[in-house]
Amino acid sequence: MVRDTKFPTRLLLASVGVGAGIGAVISVASSGLAVYFARKIVVPENAPEELEILHIDGFSPNMRIHLPATEETTVRGTYGLYFNQGAGHAVIGDIVEYDPRSRTVSREILSVTRGDIKRAAHGRWTGIVYPEPLAAGVDAKDIEIESDAGKLPAWLLLTDHPEPQSTWAILVHGRASTRAEGLRAAPILNTLGIPAIAMSYRNDAEVRVETTSRYGLGDTEWIDVDAAIDFALSHGASDVVLIGWSMGGAIALQAASRGRNRRFVKALVLDGPVVDWVNVLDNQARLNMLPTPIAKLTLEMITQPWARPITGLQTPLDLGRLDWVTRAAELDVPVLLIHSDDDEFVPSSPSHALASVRRDLVTMPVYEKARHTKEWNVDPVRWEDDVANFLEAKVLPKSG
């Protein structure tokens, strides 16, 4: 019997063709995913209001809000809730009831700072309790910081202390947030007599140009912190302490090491800071179940010149320059590191590593259940005590 060898050959060729086609499709799909995540990292976007507001009951000042029970809404403490595309804001207090069967939680509404929350269907859970300085109980002036990126709106937070300090604080918010994030520090700074600037910076919500804005992850925004220090020095400050949240921590570290005003930076207070961006992006890749090749390609796209037309970055990012575990020996000012060990966005392990190798400069109290940059929200008294004790020990002149 003579075998027909042509059929297997045709089948083999067809299989190779199909395999190559599938490989090409997979390659294109992988590249597309990498492009998507690379742009998601550097392209600013407004945080969506996706939290469903199930029900509001009661009357002010005894209203309650009923929400789905999520990892965020079931953490104790005081939080903010934006609604109506950011036009409304409410301060949400502690948990009143939790129903595990229906997976719902009810919490106190401590105040509605603006808007009609009873008409809201969805909101955005946030650590921002004070949407403007008046809500934080401090006097403020609207100012503008002059930077190469343009005029940046800011608040000059005044102090009513009878003997104001000559050390000022520069408050640097995190990625996709606003200068209101820094207002949680305003009451304790006022108590200590420290004037402060709650600043905006390039690419954030108040100043971005939607089609061209790209986050530098701290590699570019630090220039605006330098400009804020200029303002402070020209208005009576002798030196500054930089206080940064999340990416604001990465920005503060760059300003303290690269800025022309770095000699005026006396200390850093960092809350949930990005100490190592590669670690953060690796964590996000795992959370999004990205295969290793796609994760590597994503990193390459934001760090290599060839990908500039894809990402829109003017210059590639230098993630090595943003790695403060590797650069720990270069740290030369005292640092207070506040970083909860259950941080879901920025892992605390690099912060612990930095604190371990620079025990001479880094103070890191233990926080365990506050998630990302919400240590103040869970326990404001402790947060303020930690900040006050650090500043009094490392920055402010000793009394007497």
Side-chain angles (χ1 to χ4, degrees):
M1 181 176 176
V2 178
R3 293 180 181 272
D4 184 356
T5 58
K6 293 181 181 180
F7 177 74
T9 303
R10 290 196 304 270
L11 182 60
L12 176 62
L13 291 173
S15 298
V16 170
V18 170
I22 291 173
V25 169
I26 291 173
S27 178
V28 170
S30 298
S31 299
L33 271 176
V35 169
Y36 170 79
F37 281 102
R39 290 178 64 84
K40 193 173 180 64
I41 291 166
V42 299
V43 176
E45 59 183 13
N46 294 321
E49 294 180 355
E50 296 178 328
L51 179 64
E52 186 179 6
I53 297 174
L54 302 174
H55 182 59
I56 305 286
D57 58 33
F59 297 93
S60 181
N62 297 307
M63 288 194 295
R64 291 186 184 182
I65 186 168
H66 299 265
L67 302 164
T70 68
E71 290 183 336
E72 288 192 319
T73 62
T74 52
V75 178
R76 67 184 182 87
T78 304
Y79 300 89
L81 184 76
Y82 280 110
F83 54 93
N84 291 345
Q85 289 70 56
H89 177 274
V91 180
I92 308 300
D94 239 330
I95 297 170
V96 178
E97 288 182 305
Y98 166 61
D99 184 349
R101 288 206 318 177
S102 63
R103 294 293 299 161
T104 60
V105 62
S106 63
R107 303 184 71 124
E108 301 172 291
I109 299 178
L110 299 181
S111 65
V112 179
T113 57
R114 58 180 185 239
D116 184 357
I117 194 169
K118 288 196 170 183
R119 294 180 177 272
H122 293 84
R124 175 169 63 86
W125 195 258
T126 175
I128 298 175
V129 169
Y130 307 126
E132 59 274 323
L134 184 61
V138 296
D139 291 330
K141 291 182 179 179
D142 290 312
I143 61 171
E144 289 182 331
I145 304 298
E146 296 279 352
S147 167
D148 69 300
K151 294 183 178 181
L152 309 174
W155 289 308
L156 172 57
L157 307 178
L158 307 172
T159 176
D160 57 14
H161 194 283
E163 298 181 9
Q165 303 286 347
S166 62
T167 296
W168 286 29
I170 309 296
L171 312 181
V172 191
H173 68 77
R175 185 183 184 279
S177 189
T178 70
R179 53 185 156 136
E181 182 172 41
L183 293 178
R184 287 172 292 185
I188 189 59
L189 293 175
N190 181 40
T191 298
L192 295 171
I194 300 176
I197 295 174
M199 63 176 292
S200 59
Y201 51 76
R202 65 192 67 200
N203 306 320
D204 73 16
E206 293 186 275
V207 298
R208 73 180 56 146
V209 179
E210 293 292 346
T211 57
T212 60
S213 289
R214 296 293 184 271
Y215 283 124
L217 306 187
D219 206 19
T220 56
E221 292 85 355
W222 65 269
I223 300 171
D224 301 328
V225 175
D226 227 12
I229 298 174
D230 281 337
F231 183 97
L233 295 174
S234 66
H235 288 77
S238 61
D239 44 51
V240 300
V241 56
L242 305 182
I243 306 180
W245 288 260
S246 191
M247 189 176 87
I251 296 170
L253 282 161
Q254 294 303 303
S257 63
R258 297 165 66 185
R260 53 189 163 72
N261 288 319
R262 60 186 178 276
R263 68 187 183 280
F264 297 107
V265 178
K266 291 193 70 174
L268 303 173
V269 175
L270 308 178
D271 189 320
V274 180
V275 173
D276 175 6
W277 267 111
V278 173
N279 179 276
V280 173
L281 297 176
D282 182 59
N283 178 60
Q284 290 301 306
R286 286 196 301 271
L287 292 178
N288 287 281
M289 294 181 288
L290 284 185
T292 299
I294 297 177
K296 288 183 176 179
L297 182 56
T298 299
L299 279 178
E300 190 172 351
M301 283 183 173
I302 64 174
T303 58
Q304 299 298 320
W306 65 264
R308 285 174 53 199
I310 298 172
T311 62
L313 288 167
Q314 292 182 347
T315 56
L317 303 181
D318 186 344
L319 297 184
R321 192 159 54 193
L322 303 175
D323 177 0
W324 281 92
V325 177
T326 301
R327 295 184 62 192
E330 300 175 45
L331 201 64
D332 60 1
V333 295
V335 179
L336 174 62
L337 251 174
I338 295 175
H339 202 155
S340 182
D341 286 330
D342 70 340
D343 192 321
E344 78 283 11
F345 186 78
V346 178
S348 64
S349 50
S351 292
H352 282 289
L354 178 58
S356 178
V357 297
R358 292 308 307 266
R359 294 177 184 176
D360 56 324
L361 287 177
V362 178
T363 301
M364 188 174 180
V366 175
Y367 285 80
E368 295 178 326
K369 296 190 179 298
R371 298 180 64 78
H372 184 51
T373 67
K374 296 183 178 69
E375 292 86 355
W376 181 96
N377 301 84
V378 170
D379 193 342
V381 172
R382 186 194 172 191
W383 191 96
E384 291 177 357
D385 281 348
D386 284 342
V387 170
N389 291 337
F390 173 79
L391 294 178
E392 289 174 336
K394 305 294 185 180
V395 178
L396 301 180
K398 304 294 187 293
S399 59

